[in-house]
Amino acid sequence: MDMDTSSGTDGSPARKRLVVIGAGMVAHRLVEAMVERGATADWTIDVFGEESRPPYDRVALTSFFSDRDPDDLVLGDGSLWAVDGVRLHRGVQATAIDRDTRTVTARGRTYAYDALVLATGSYAMVPPIDGKDTPGCFVYRTVDDVAELRAYVNELSDRLDRPVRGAVVGGGLLGLEAAGALQALGAQSTVIEFAPWLMPMQVDEAGGRTLRRIIEQLGVEVRTATATAKVRANRRGTVGSMEFADGGGHIDVDVVVFATGVRPRDELAREVGLGIGERGGVVCDDACLTDDPSIYAIGEVAHIAGRTWGLVGPGYTMAEVVTDRLLGGDATFTSGDLSTKLKLLGVDVASFGDAFAGTEGSLEVVYADPVGGVYKKLVMSDDAKTLLGGILVGDAEAYASLRPMVGSELGSDPTAWLVPDGVTPIGGVSLPDEASVCSCNNVSAGAIRCAVRGESGEPCHDLGAVKGCTKAGTSCGSCLPLVKKLLDEELTAAGIETSNALCEHFAMSRAQLFDVVRVTGIRTFSELVASHGTGRGCDICRPVVASVLASLETGHVLEGEAAALQDTNDHVMANMQKDGTYSVVPRIPGGEVTPEGLIAIGQVAADFGLYTKITGGQRIDLFGARIDQLPLIWKRLIDAGFESGHAYGKSLRTVKSCVGSTWCRYGVQDSVGLAIALELRYRGLRSPHKIKLGVSGCARECAEARGKDVGVIATDKGWNVYVGGNGGFTPRHAQLFAEDLTTEELVAVIDRFLLYYVRTADRLQRTAAWLESIEGGIDHVRSVVIDDSLGIVADLDAAMAVHVDKYEDEWAATLADPDKLKKFTSFVNSPDTPDPDLVYVDERGQRRPATPQERATLIAGTTLEVRS
């Protein structure tokens, strides 16, 4: 049997030998910390991982279902494993430990160690259910698990003439992730949870009820307080149904995913007699050291302070502790931050601190909106001053601010952090230095302040430098708003001006740049950068200037040098898709379209082989158009009476409406007529970010107007207008701006609001964030728009009149200009040759781009039903 001792060969003292069993996220952090602290001068490091892949982000596993490449999940850039003295053994299982000789056996060889770290993590626990091994049953733990599940569901989808029926046993974090994964594959999904509510380890009963309501609205069936008794096979020998205990009946299913928790992988430790916790895990002291003075344990396999720790944050802390100990330090693991913030099936869920109010005398402050799908709870000390913990479901925007405040006084009425439109400051001034800002990497507010001040090295005066120095925000990223706030406050306190420069080429903000262009009459980028900037511009300032020029009605977006400034989508007036083709979105104002119009769109889609889908904005998206086909498609659509829907631009997208008083017996105003008028008025209005409007014909709000940048809701007296709503990464409800307006008053208010936003917002800043950042907030904007506090209303009205008067359809103008049409070719040297690399797969009666795996299958010669 070979022995690897890694001894020196040049007469120098041999480096000590560190062996790490396990190659997950926590093992990666251990090696990273050792390298960062220069430990490879004294240590060699061998890491053994059973999976064929290098360490990857297991937290982001579900993204694999949306055709994300598994390589995108790999942690770091790979250079870590090229460091001298660091070796990653992929696809190699460590099979034995010999404590007497201090060796590890792997793949027939023995590796000597001076220190051994067990980072074996955990395995998916499958309950002892009859039929659990039936083909079609899966666990949800690794990339390979996900790949097998995806392949199985896709195969069933191709074979069955109905949707695949999936069931997930377990309604915790992994269970809801698995349910989302099944949905992403087009399968139906049922979640079965033994506890009385979902996510019982993270949220209380009321939060669980809210979460259930939201998830059921998304099309996932939920069964709580239910135990699975048996999985039955069908005639093919694969999963066919599930039976429930205690007379709970049964359901027909095609695939079952077990997500009922994990258990520590402590078998190697058991075999060599190390202490094991009552429910598993290798018993360690606060130095992460086991019974053996040469063996440490970190991550999910470690049992410290009477428990195992199932989150990556505490695991990273353990990795730092062991690194310090190996280098002669005395760091200890005192506790781990069990706070969690996730987006499950698109729903924000967060819990932190004493979320279940276990502290004696604690008080609970609760806000619940069952209709809006929001539940928030703060746990306070008995004097209602100190924050102890909390739960946020449906709206977790305040999480980044609240979690670091645990143990500190909130300094305001706790309800202000919960109610909509309340004050939820993200400031860092009141944070004590010991407050944890980044739980993933255990970075405190004090550490960030020290980095900015340069107390242990070069001062960090920008966000990138702070991230590089402290690791804050480099994992999940949810703490970055708070990190940026702390950075700005430290710089301000030091008398260092925080720059609002657009980029290195313009030392002014977007709003200042807009005013320069508006006042000077400059109409080209080259003229602007020559007189008010430096250099030749970049991918930040060039599209911004293009947007500003378009906002001021200076000509076609593809006219002259403006064409070279545009982003990818604006450059060809279409949205680029994952396979390099484009989507086409004709405008359908207010969602109203004639039968003839529908027929024309359908015929175009059929003739060009385009994938069609109804969008959330009440119009039709046509996918799969080659660049050379765009003019041909738009010629047909324009001849049928359509125009550009500007889906590609930072501009007005849609004005969504219900049918209002035209058809609905509850409608009190003509919402369709108003929506069409508004869409035709603001079409083509270029802005810092996309804009969406909604008009509801009564208070029932079927058009979801309060989720839009501008929302209009009918009243018996006229119209109420709301502003600053949006979906996206951080959803916001729009706030009431004005009430009971006539149609004429309403249009004037929206005109001025939109143009004031266009003139003063920052680059890529949505209306919600703009209202939060502008001095005086919504009250200031209201005073400008309605009370004319700045004396600019007449100017705003005139500017909107110019926009309405000068509007022209960009695609109609392009079709009339031979020079512009030259841009729309697949290959410059062969304009009539279509892109030969486009490969499609038929699915549900339409074609979609082939995945990389399907392309590989085609190359291998397996027959798929494809069209290219």
Side-chain angles (χ1 to χ4, degrees):
M1 185 176 294
D2 295 334
M3 170 73 79
D4 188 331
T5 61
S6 300
S7 56
T9 59
D10 59 358
S12 61
R15 288 184 284 185
K16 289 182 285 188
R17 298 154 301 197
L18 173 64
V19 171
V20 183
I21 301 179
M25 298 177 71
V26 175
H28 178 272
R29 181 62 196 136
L30 172 70
V31 178
E32 191 175 53
M34 291 284 285
V35 170
E36 288 171 355
R37 296 183 59 171
T40 52
D42 301 310
W43 289 85
T44 63
I45 306 171
D46 283 280
V47 182
F48 295 91
E50 295 181 13
E51 294 188 63
S52 59
R53 298 174 176 83
Y56 57 87
D57 185 358
R58 201 182 301 276
V59 176
L61 198 59
T62 302
S63 65
F64 186 32
F65 281 92
S66 56
D67 287 333
R68 187 176 176 185
D69 192 317
D71 290 342
D72 294 340
L73 304 180
V74 172
L75 297 171
D77 59 6
S79 61
L80 180 67
W81 309 111
V83 173
D84 179 45
V86 177
R87 291 184 292 184
L88 172 63
H89 304 264
R90 302 193 317 193
V92 178
Q93 181 179 9
T95 55
I97 299 170
D98 189 324
R99 292 172 57 186
D100 295 328
T101 62
R102 290 200 293 188
T103 58
V104 169
T105 301
R107 200 163 52 183
R109 299 182 65 186
T110 58
Y111 295 80
Y113 66 81
D114 295 290
L116 171 65
V117 178
L118 298 175
T120 46
S122 59
Y123 64 90
M125 193 268 294
V126 178
I129 295 172
D130 187 14
K132 62 183 176 60
D133 296 322
T134 304
C137 289
F138 297 87
V139 294
Y140 192 83
R141 185 66 180 158
T142 69
V143 164
D144 290 336
D145 295 335
V146 169
E148 291 175 12
L149 174 60
R150 186 169 73 173
Y152 190 84
V153 173
N154 286 338
E155 188 275 329
L156 281 179
S157 297
D158 292 339
R159 180 163 51 83
L160 300 175
D161 57 359
R162 56 168 174 78
V164 175
R165 299 171 299 208
V168 179
V169 182
L173 298 177
L174 282 178
L176 296 183
E177 289 243 358
L182 287 173
Q183 273 206 328
L185 293 172
Q188 297 173 347
S189 186
T190 300
V191 174
I192 300 105
E193 169 57 44
F194 180 73
W197 64 86
L198 295 174
M199 290 185 67
M201 302 299 293
Q202 284 77 32
V203 302
D204 58 12
E205 183 174 3
R209 286 200 305 266
T210 301
L211 181 60
R212 174 175 183 163
R213 186 179 299 110
I214 300 171
I215 287 176
E216 287 181 331
Q217 289 173 351
L218 295 173
V220 176
E221 185 178 345
V222 176
R223 297 177 66 121
T224 55
T226 302
T228 303
K230 187 174 185 177
V231 176
R232 287 190 175 275
N234 56 26
R235 287 178 295 178
R236 295 170 59 93
T238 60
V239 169
S241 64
M242 295 176 68
E243 293 182 1
F244 303 116
D246 302 324
H250 76 281
I251 59 172
D252 294 329
V253 293
D254 305 304
V255 59
V256 175
V257 180
F258 290 104
T260 50
V262 296
R263 292 290 182 268
R265 289 202 57 182
D266 53 19
E267 58 271 21
L268 286 176
R270 291 177 184 270
E271 290 174 3
V272 295
L274 294 177
I276 303 296
E278 183 179 350
R279 300 189 64 183
V282 186
V283 175
C284 302
D285 61 16
D286 60 6
C288 302
L289 196 61
T290 69
D291 299 339
D292 188 314
S294 300
I295 302 178
Y296 297 84
I298 59 176
E300 293 175 310
V301 75
H303 186 282
I304 306 178
R307 60 165 298 165
T308 53
W309 304 77
L311 296 174
V312 70
Y316 282 173
T317 302
M318 295 178 203
E320 299 283 356
V321 168
V322 171
T323 297
D324 188 72
R325 289 281 177 164
L326 291 174
L327 299 181
D330 58 0
T332 58
F333 180 85
T334 54
S335 65
D337 187 351
L338 295 179
S339 302
T340 56
K341 179 179 181 293
L342 311 113
K343 187 178 285 289
L344 301 165
L345 288 160
V347 182
D348 282 325
V349 181
S351 67
F352 53 94
D354 182 13
F356 291 91
T359 304
E360 185 176 356
S362 58
L363 306 175
E364 298 183 2
V365 182
V366 175
Y367 170 81
D369 177 7
V371 177
V374 174
Y375 173 82
K376 305 179 187 181
K377 181 180 80 172
L378 297 184
V379 180
M380 307 294 297
S381 60
D382 56 3
D383 60 1
K385 292 182 178 179
T386 302
L387 178 66
L388 302 179
I391 294 171
L392 307 170
V393 177
D395 176 9
E397 180 184 350
Y399 172 79
S401 305
L402 287 169
R403 186 192 54 75
M405 295 290 290
V406 172
S408 305
E409 293 189 7
L410 283 184
S412 63
D413 177 5
T415 61
W417 295 80
L418 301 182
V419 297
D421 306 336
V423 181
T424 55
I426 307 182
V429 172
S430 58
L431 281 183
D433 281 347
E434 62 272 15
S436 176
V437 172
C438 176
S439 61
C440 291
N441 295 291
N442 195 28
V443 183
S444 66
I448 292 171
R449 292 179 176 126
C450 288
V452 177
R453 294 193 290 260
E455 295 183 0
S456 57
E458 286 294 318
C460 300
H461 287 175
D462 61 67
L463 187 59
V466 172
K467 290 170 63 179
C469 179
T470 66
K471 296 292 183 185
T474 58
S475 293
C476 76
S478 65
C479 63
L480 281 178
L482 187 54
V483 175
K484 180 63 165 65
K485 201 72 174 181
L486 286 166
L487 167 65
D488 290 345
E489 286 164 354
E490 279 300 306
L491 293 176
T492 301
I496 301 172
E497 184 178 355
T498 55
S499 173
N500 65 350
L502 180 63
C503 68
E504 61 184 286
H505 303 104
F506 289 98
M508 60 186 79
S509 68
R510 179 199 171 276
Q512 293 168 329
L513 201 63
F514 189 101
D515 282 339
V516 167
V517 176
R518 182 173 61 86
V519 172
T520 62
I522 290 174
R523 291 296 177 260
T524 66
F525 178 84
S526 56
E527 186 181 358
L528 182 64
V529 76
S531 58
H532 293 86
T534 60
R536 299 181 178 180
C538 62
D539 58 358
I540 293 177
C541 62
R542 293 170 72 86
V544 168
V545 173
S547 174
V548 169
L549 293 173
S551 299
L552 292 169
E553 309 296 334
T554 59
H556 198 286
V557 293
L558 300 184
E559 195 75 54
E561 73 169 41
L565 304 178
Q566 306 294 337
D567 282 323
T568 300
N569 292 336
D570 273 300
H571 189 66
V572 294
M573 300 185 301
N575 275 342
M576 178 178 281
Q577 304 304 308
K578 60 189 290 184
D579 65 340
T581 61
Y582 295 86
S583 67
V584 171
V585 187
R587 186 174 301 286
I588 301 180
E592 182 181 84
V593 61
T594 65
E596 292 78 11
L598 284 174
I599 292 170
I601 291 175
Q603 194 60 57
V604 167
D607 290 349
F608 288 90
L610 305 178
Y611 173 99
T612 59
K613 187 182 184 305
I614 306 296
T615 73
Q618 299 181 328
R619 53 190 187 181
I620 299 173
D621 209 337
L622 310 174
F623 293 87
R626 301 193 310 267
I627 189 171
D628 57 295
Q629 293 176 325
L630 291 175
L632 303 175
I633 292 170
W634 275 111
K635 177 67 167 63
R636 295 268 297 272
L637 292 173
I638 289 171
D639 288 346
F642 292 99
E643 63 177 39
S644 171
H646 286 95
Y648 48 83
K650 299 294 186 287
S651 59
L652 175 75
R653 293 295 174 86
T654 63
V655 183
K656 187 175 182 178
S657 77
C658 64
V659 296
S661 59
T662 305
W663 288 93
C664 180
R665 65 184 187 275
Y666 299 114
V668 295
Q669 302 287 352
D670 180 10
S671 56
V672 178
L674 178 63
I676 292 173
L678 293 177
E679 185 157 345
L680 296 178
R681 185 172 183 81
Y682 304 128
R683 57 187 172 178
L685 179 65
R686 300 285 170 151
S687 57
H689 207 289
K690 63 185 176 185
I691 307 170
K692 297 181 180 181
L693 279 69
V695 183
S696 287
C698 74
R700 286 172 173 79
E701 247 285 72
C702 292
E704 301 167 324
R706 289 202 62 192
K708 303 295 188 288
D709 297 280
V710 177
V712 180
I713 301 177
T715 71
D716 291 332
K717 299 178 182 178
W719 306 97
N720 289 349
V721 61
Y722 298 79
V723 297
N726 63 249
F729 185 77
T730 307
R732 301 286 209 288
H733 271 93
Q735 304 173 56
L736 181 63
F737 195 68
E739 297 181 89
D740 296 328
L741 302 175
T742 65
T743 301
E744 184 179 359
E745 292 170 337
L746 173 75
V747 172
V749 166
I750 299 176
D751 283 356
R752 298 163 188 171
F753 173 83
L754 290 177
L755 281 182
Y756 191 50
Y757 160 68
V758 168
R759 292 187 177 188
T760 60
D762 287 335
R763 166 183 173 266
L764 301 180
Q765 188 176 45
R766 299 202 69 166
T767 55
W770 170 65
L771 286 173
E772 293 172 359
S773 65
I774 195 168
E775 186 173 354
I778 191 172
D779 291 333
H780 162 74
V781 177
R782 187 182 289 113
S783 71
V784 172
V785 168
I786 296 178
D787 302 327
D788 198 15
S789 61
L790 297 182
I792 62 172
V793 159
D795 183 36
L796 297 176
D797 290 345
M800 184 57 76
V802 170
H803 165 74
V804 174
D805 180 62
K806 294 185 67 175
Y807 171 79
E808 69 170 349
D809 177 34
E810 292 171 353
W811 262 109
T814 299
L815 293 174
D817 188 333
D819 289 335
K820 293 185 178 67
L821 288 175
K822 293 177 182 178
K823 301 177 182 295
F824 299 93
T825 57
S826 296
F827 302 98
V828 174
N829 58 350
S830 183
D832 297 326
T833 302
D835 187 347
D837 194 42
L838 301 176
V839 180
Y840 297 95
V841 175
D842 286 330
E843 185 172 85
R844 295 186 296 276
Q846 298 202 78
R847 69 174 191 173
R848 62 160 174 81
T851 65
Q853 292 81 3
E854 288 165 340
R855 284 177 176 270
T857 302
L858 287 168
I859 293 172
T862 303
T863 300
L864 290 179
E865 186 179 350
V866 300
R867 295 187 299 180
S868 60

